Amino acid sequence: MKKIPLVWFGAAVSIAEIMTGTLLAPLGWHKGIFVIIIGHLIGCLLMYLVGLIGTQTGMGTMDSTSLSFGKIGSRIFAGFNALQLVGWTGIMIYSGASAAQLLLPRLGYAIWASAIALLILVWLIAYFKEPGILPTVTMALLFILTIIASRTVFTTTRGMLPIDNSITIWSGLELSIAMPLSWLPLIGDYTSEEKANEKIPLASAIVYFAASSWMYLLGLGCAMHEGSSDFALILKNSGLPVAGVLVIVLSTVTTTYLDAYSCGISLKTFDFRERPSAIICTAIGLLLALSVPSGSLEPFLYAISSIFVPMAAIQITDYFILRKNASRVLLEGPSLVVFLAGLLLYHYLLHINCALGMSIPVLIITSVLEICTEKLLSLKEKNKCLQKQ
């Protein structure tokens, strides 16, 4: 699994990341670049720490949640993860097919969506775990095509979207943190294969940071330089329909493959087989892409963050600070209560438009709550032992 960091390059190069970058355009260049860098630093630090847990324990991310939440708790989060991955699969197929159809409309949306789903299935069947020669060559091609697309965007100017106050710096920071957070439940599935090799999580986080920031900047550039938030339309207007289709289809396949693969890993917690589960995830994603209209990415990203921010805060606090291991317990109720408090806090801050955003306060407060809860429980248990004596 020495090619794991390469996998994360493929994960980052996606039209979803570019689309999210376009949402930052109202901030302007300087503020936009600032929130992209800071947000990705925060998100990728969490990715690294969760990946490090996988490396040190040899457990996938969802399996490692049992250390904090117990066996049943681990299944709860595996279920959450499987649902969000099916959703991501549908969104990615929809986005890729819609963009490809705009560039080469003759085939039609349904055929493009089916073709992308078929390629994902081929990836799953042929390269289910270890990236081979074909994926490596594909990544290299994707890298070259992305450079071409970046050059096209940043060397031409057709318009300029006005800078306004429709989005705050903190809201932009949330959108920048959200994408790395969406990969938290997946990274341990790869780094757990490299037990004792602690360089792998760091390399994975660095590669994802660089590539994802690039995609966000590309999206920001689309909106700022081209006066449009539609990346596919920009490629079409720039005379790159064929190269554009290659970028979009390949990036969609390499990213969505990870979603389907991790869905299979998560469902393994429920005693389902990995490969068939991943294939079923892809099939359901295709059905969603063909039947359910796709809305804005923002609500979906916020929903993911509301679950995985408090989960990661508790997991990291328990493993690195408290050295807790509840994997033999059926359900660790106190930690689950702290998680629910973090979840509710996230949604509360979201609805009141907290000036500090949601992720940072929730990370800090949830971590402090977990430490206080464990200390109180430990003190209570100590007092019980003293009373018995």
Side-chain angles (χ1 to χ4, degrees), residues 103-104 112 145 235-236 239-249:
L103 289 169
L104 292 177
W112 276 119
L145 292 173
L235 290 177
K236 182 178 181 180
L240 291 172
V242 176
V245 166
L246 285 173
V247 170
I248 289 165
V249 171

Side-chain angles (χ1 to χ4, degrees), residues 22 43 95 119 144 149 156 161-162 181 193 210 249 259 281 296 304 310 328-329 345 350 357-358 375 388:
T22 65
S95 301
L119 286 172
I144 295 169
T156 59
L161 289 185
L181 282 179
E193 300 285 339
V249 171
D259 295 328
C281 173
S296 172
I304 291 171
R328 295 184 180 181
V329 178
L345 176 62
L350 176 62
M358 292 81 71
K375 294 298 182 184
K388 287 181 179 180

Side-chain angles (χ1 to χ4, degrees), residues 197-347:
N197 189 349
E198 297 186 359
K199 293 180 181 179
I200 292 294
L202 181 60
S204 299
I206 290 173
V207 168
Y208 182 83
F209 170 83
S212 180
S213 298
W214 180 8
M215 293 303 103
Y216 268 67
L217 288 169
L218 185 54
L220 180 62
C222 285
M224 296 298 298
H225 279 238
E226 298 287 324
S228 171
S229 60
D230 194 326
F231 180 63
L233 183 61
I234 290 166
L235 290 177
K236 182 178 181 180
N237 292 337
S238 301
L240 291 172
V242 176
V245 166
L246 285 173
V247 170
I248 289 165
V249 171
L250 289 176
S251 64
T252 301
V253 171
T254 56
T255 301
T256 315
Y257 156 79
L258 295 177
D259 295 328
Y261 166 72
S262 190
C263 185
I265 296 294
S266 291
L267 291 176
K268 187 180 176 182
T269 307
F270 298 93
D271 298 323
F272 292 110
R273 294 172 60 193
E274 292 178 20
R275 195 187 302 263
S277 297
I279 291 172
I280 291 171
C281 173
T282 305
I284 295 174
L286 174 61
L287 291 175
L288 289 174
L290 292 174
S291 59
V292 180
S294 179
S296 172
L297 268 177
E298 289 179 77
F300 186 67
L301 290 173
Y302 287 141
I304 291 171
S305 295
S306 70
I307 293 172
F308 294 118
V309 166
M311 183 203 80
I314 293 170
Q315 203 176 358
I316 291 168
T317 301
D318 283 346
Y319 186 80
F320 291 104
I321 298 176
L322 299 174
R323 303 296 180 182
K324 176 180 171 181
N325 185 350
S327 59
R328 295 184 180 181
V329 178
L330 279 178
L331 183 64
E332 183 68 2
S335 291
L336 194 59
V337 171
V338 173
F339 163 76
L340 290 173
L343 176 69
L344 293 173
L345 176 62
Y346 188 99
H347 284 281

Side-chain angles (χ1 to χ4, degrees), residues 10 53 99-100 104 115 134 264 339 348 382:
I53 293 173
L104 292 177
L134 181 58
F339 163 76
Y348 173 73
K382 186 176 180 181

Side-chain angles (χ1 to χ4, degrees), residues 59-67 69-82 85 185 189 261-275 277 327 330:
M59 303 168 73
T61 304
M62 291 300 100
D63 288 335
S64 68
T65 58
S66 65
L67 300 173
F69 302 101
K71 295 176 182 178
I72 295 177
S74 176
R75 291 193 169 199
I76 291 172
F77 286 102
F80 278 139
N81 189 38
L85 290 169
D189 297 340
Y261 166 72
S262 190
C263 185
I265 296 294
S266 291
L267 291 176
K268 187 180 176 182
T269 307
F270 298 93
D271 298 323
F272 292 110
R273 294 172 60 193
E274 292 178 20
R275 195 187 302 263
S277 297
S327 59
L330 279 178

Side-chain angles (χ1 to χ4, degrees), residues 15-38:
I15 194 167
E17 307 241 359
I18 296 170
M19 288 167 58
T20 307
T22 65
L23 300 174
L24 305 177
L27 292 174
W29 262 117
H30 294 97
K31 291 180 180 178
I33 293 172
F34 173 79
V35 299
I36 288 171
I37 300 301
I38 300 301

